[in-house]
Amino acid sequence: MATSEWRPAKLDQLGHVGRGRSRHRPRNADFLYGGPYPFFQTGDIKAANYYLNDYTQTYSEAGLAQSKLWQPGTLCITIAANIAESAILGIEGCFPDSVVGFVVDPEKADVRFVKYYLEILKLRMQGISHGSTQDNLSMDKLLTFDFLVPPLPIQRRIAGILSAYDDLIENSQRRIKILEEMARRLYREWFVYFRFPGHEDCLLVDSPLGEIPEGWEVKPFSAIASYVNGYPFKPAELGPAGKPIIKIKELKAGIVADTPRNIGDEIPGKYHIHDGDVLFSWSADLDAYLWMGGDGLLNQHLFTVLPADTFSRAFCFHSLKGSMPRFRALSLGATMHHIKRSALDQVFTVVAPAPMRNRFDVLVEPIHQQLITISKQIQNLRHSRDLLLPRLLSGQIDVEALPEPVLSES
């Protein structure tokens, strides 16, 4: 593609740029929160794939009064903590001054093109943002970067090609959430609310956890599985090749280019993990995870959950997931929460007879397999998009000669 028509432009030459607002001090005053207005933070933007729809907090009327309500289509760019992450607002919402809002001039640019170009500039932006206490990218620094911008029709064509991948990723992520919720609800219906098949004819009896169906038991988590601590990797054992080392970061965001690796030949088999394994974090983000990232090696801050005889991975996973509030109540530490292994003897769960658990497994294991399959599809889509992105945004590919992308969820 000829790039003679591509012109450099600053972000504020392509539309309106403004910082989010969170004027009240202290920022954590209770009366600012809990209302109907989504309040997006830098972590929400980092976690978003493309569109920003999910949030962890909301503003009240008082919160909105000291902030600003931004409209769908606004490009959100983080300038503190998580530097140069971006996502397009899918719904109206507020965000603090650690986030910049960009509202495109539709006669000059396509907001999707600008969002993708930020991916090209991200490393440079992060490189000039390192601080002694917290990384920060000022508005002035942000506006020094040049975006190499082609004519609007070419912007739209490039954005359309790349967004076809992201739209499919978004759809796949929605499917994952639906499937996860299906499995969670089934577990709760059968093993928490005791509305399992045939429950009408079952008597309830007293137990340490309240009334449970007759013939069911209450057991500590130490009785239904064993927990193998990950491998204590040393810096000399890490490198750019081999199997990825799975840490909290990989559980939350997936495997990335800078994830440390190890060939694994010298690492005992009990530290190797595979799709469908149940992992448990006892520090930082205390939780249970169903691993869907392929073969890897487990870091020492995580644990592989190995079901005891007659117990399945599916049952152990949902039991742990449902009991996380009780594990968190036992967590220790003022800043980094963690629990002791003894908590596995202190937290109890209701255990149905093996035939009932087997019926549950028959229904849930296929759901887990679908989750793994869709997760692989998302990984492949991201890989293809990331290969195309720099070539399209540098003008190396003549987009007018490319056919429309035909992508499928299957």
Side-chain angles (χ1 to χ4, degrees):
M1 180 194 303
T3 57
S4 58
E5 295 181 295
W6 293 46
R7 297 284 186 268
K10 310 299 185 189
L11 191 60
D12 58 351
Q13 294 173 323
L14 301 174
H16 169 73
V17 183
R19 292 184 71 165
R21 296 177 188 170
S22 184
R23 294 171 174 166
H24 188 273
R25 298 295 184 273
R27 293 176 188 257
N28 61 351
D30 289 343
F31 72 92
L32 298 176
Y33 301 97
Y37 304 104
F39 177 56
F40 296 101
Q41 301 175 81
T42 59
D44 300 320
I45 296 169
K46 181 178 176 61
N49 175 64
Y50 186 72
Y51 293 108
L52 186 55
N53 295 304
D54 297 329
Y55 46 90
T56 53
Q57 279 190 317
T58 59
Y59 264 157
S60 63
E61 294 291 345
L64 176 63
Q66 54 88 56
S67 187
K68 175 182 177 178
L69 194 63
W70 297 78
Q71 296 305 302
T74 300
L75 178 60
C76 301
I77 307 166
T78 60
I79 60 171
N82 301 301
I83 300 296
E85 301 291 345
S86 63
I88 298 172
L89 272 184
I91 56 176
E92 63 180 14
C94 305
F95 44 80
D97 54 11
S98 55
V99 178
V100 165
F102 169 72
V103 180
V104 72
D105 181 338
E107 296 184 358
K108 295 180 179 179
D110 186 306
V111 69
R112 300 171 301 167
F113 177 88
V114 176
K115 189 251 185 294
Y116 287 121
Y117 207 95
L118 274 168
E119 295 299 316
I120 299 294
L121 299 174
K122 180 188 291 187
L123 288 178
R124 288 172 54 199
M125 290 181 175
Q126 292 172 344
I128 66 169
S129 304
H130 297 307
S132 57
T133 55
Q134 176 175 281
D135 291 349
N136 188 277
L137 176 68
S138 68
M139 177 81 84
D140 289 341
K141 288 180 181 178
L142 177 64
L143 296 180
T144 63
F145 285 88
D146 280 324
F147 291 72
L148 191 59
V149 180
L152 194 52
I154 296 178
Q155 290 185 52
R156 290 172 178 154
R157 181 80 171 107
I158 291 172
I161 292 170
L162 294 172
S163 65
Y165 289 90
D166 277 310
D167 288 342
L168 193 50
I169 290 171
E170 293 276 345
N171 289 337
S172 296
Q173 289 175 328
R174 283 193 288 270
R175 290 174 62 198
I176 282 178
K177 289 181 179 179
I178 291 170
L179 290 169
E180 288 176 336
E181 183 60 22
M182 287 172 56
R184 279 196 297 267
R185 286 188 179 184
L186 184 63
Y187 177 84
R188 287 198 299 266
E189 282 293 303
W190 286 24
F191 303 118
V192 177
Y193 306 131
F194 308 133
R195 293 194 286 258
F196 50 88
H199 72 278
E200 300 89 347
D201 302 321
C202 191
L203 296 176
L204 296 178
V205 297
D206 289 335
S207 82
L209 295 181
E211 289 189 331
I212 64 173
E214 188 176 30
W216 292 35
E217 299 177 274
V218 170
K219 292 186 177 183
F221 275 92
S222 57
I224 69 173
S226 57
Y227 303 79
V228 178
N229 203 168
Y231 184 79
F233 286 96
K234 300 175 182 176
E237 297 175 299
L238 306 178
K243 294 182 178 181
I245 310 300
I246 308 308
K247 309 178 294 300
I248 288 289
K249 178 181 177 181
E250 282 69 31
L251 286 180
K252 296 176 67 176
I255 298 166
V256 295
D258 62 353
T259 296
R261 294 174 178 265
N262 182 291
I263 299 299
D265 292 344
E266 311 245 338
I267 307 300
K270 64 181 181 179
Y271 301 117
H272 293 242
I273 60 171
H274 314 281
D275 286 331
D277 282 347
V278 177
L279 307 181
F280 192 29
S281 166
W282 290 16
S283 62
D285 296 302
L286 184 68
D287 210 343
Y289 300 84
L290 180 68
W291 179 244
M292 298 181 282
D295 291 350
L297 299 166
L298 201 64
N299 177 266
Q300 64 180 331
H301 298 300
L302 298 171
F303 296 78
T304 304
V305 180
L306 302 178
D309 290 343
T310 79
F311 290 92
S312 68
R313 293 186 300 183
F315 182 84
C316 288
F317 169 71
H318 289 284
S319 296
L320 281 167
K321 198 80 171 173
S323 298
M324 291 317 301
R326 282 175 281 164
F327 278 109
R328 292 189 180 104
L330 295 174
S331 64
L332 307 172
T335 55
M336 181 172 286
H337 298 292
H338 65 279
I339 62 172
K340 293 183 178 180
R341 188 177 287 268
S342 59
L344 294 166
D345 297 315
Q346 298 171 295
V347 178
F348 292 79
T349 189
V350 177
V351 176
M356 183 63 66
R357 300 200 307 270
N358 292 340
R359 293 180 69 178
F360 172 77
D361 295 340
V362 168
L363 295 173
V364 171
E365 286 289 1
I367 294 177
H368 285 187
Q369 288 304 314
Q370 288 184 62
L371 291 172
I372 292 169
T373 298
I374 297 171
S375 178
K376 301 294 184 191
Q377 293 170 352
I378 290 174
Q379 292 172 30
N380 291 335
L381 287 166
R382 283 180 172 153
H383 179 69
S384 298
R385 178 204 60 194
D386 292 346
L387 287 175
L388 268 177
L389 190 147
R391 299 179 66 193
L392 287 171
L393 294 177
S394 64
Q396 294 178 42
I397 298 177
D398 184 355
V399 295
E400 295 177 314
L402 285 178
E404 289 291 334
V406 179
L407 303 175
S408 170
E409 292 181 276
S410 61

